[in-house]
Amino acid sequence: MGVLSSELLAIQNPALGAVALWSFADEYFEASPTHEGPPLQLLFVILPLVFDEETRTAAVTTRKSSGLRAFADKLSAAKAAKSDLILALQGRVPKYRTLTMQSLRFLLRASMGSVDPSSGRLLPSKARGVKQEVAASISPIVTAARHLGGWTSALSLYETAVILRLSF
């Protein structure tokens, strides 16, 4: 394993991915008017967003009350990046598919949540979830995941896909 590969594994690993997915699901559940967990399809978008520095920064710096549309507009703005970050998201989702699955397995094995088989939604566990205080190094990842959870909880899967220009 090369130096770059080991550095990447230290930053993007299933345990950290599980924390991000749990944070997203927990906020989604709390903000949802019906207190449902997020649909499993939506989980595959979270790690490509929170593990990318530019999109994570955009999520953290967008007010929680602004919503997903304001976040997407920020990603599409020419001043945000050399390229349209929102359009690049569709290409990053398949690259993170394996890590997302590993992270979801980690989350389930650690009893941080469960999947409701009748609805296909992730239900976060309060008893085994992430404590309120997290290390400063992962705080932006958790904050970005929480913002995304709150924003998407008010939208249908279709609306989320349209705003983020994704196809599921």
Side-chain angles (χ1 to χ4, degrees):
M1 181 181 287
V3 174
L4 187 57
S5 296
S6 62
E7 290 290 326
L8 186 63
L9 185 59
I11 297 167
Q12 297 181 0
N13 63 67
L16 182 56
V19 169
L21 293 179
W22 182 88
S23 299
F24 168 77
D26 184 56
E27 189 68 28
Y28 187 105
F29 183 86
E30 290 299 322
S32 170
T34 56
H35 288 293
E36 293 180 306
L40 291 178
Q41 302 94 312
L42 200 49
L43 298 178
F44 289 90
V45 180
I46 303 310
L47 297 187
L49 287 170
V50 301
F51 281 168
D52 178 77
E53 184 178 358
E54 289 178 295
T55 56
R56 179 179 58 245
T57 300
V60 169
T61 59
T62 303
R63 284 185 299 230
K64 216 174 181 181
S65 61
S66 296
L68 189 65
R69 285 178 182 83
F71 168 69
D73 289 344
K74 191 179 276 192
L75 293 180
S76 295
K79 64 182 179 181
K82 299 174 196 101
S83 63
D84 191 342
L85 294 173
I86 201 80
L87 291 176
L89 179 59
Q90 182 72 48
R92 283 201 321 266
V93 169
K95 294 175 184 172
Y96 281 86
R97 187 174 293 140
T98 301
L99 181 59
T100 299
M101 284 302 299
Q102 291 170 344
S103 300
L104 181 58
R105 280 190 209 106
F106 189 98
L107 183 149
L108 296 172
R109 286 185 185 141
S111 299
M112 294 169 67
S114 61
V115 174
D116 179 1
S118 63
S119 67
R121 292 178 177 272
L122 177 64
L123 302 173
S125 169
K126 292 294 184 185
R128 299 286 303 217
V130 179
K131 295 185 183 332
Q132 293 297 336
E133 294 181 30
V134 295
S137 59
I138 67 165
S139 182
I141 292 171
V142 170
T143 301
R146 287 196 164 282
H147 281 196
L148 290 162
W151 295 331
T152 57
S153 68
L155 304 169
S156 69
L157 189 58
Y158 174 76
E159 289 171 311
T160 301
V162 168
I163 292 167
L164 295 177
R165 298 186 185 121
L166 295 170
S167 61
F168 288 107

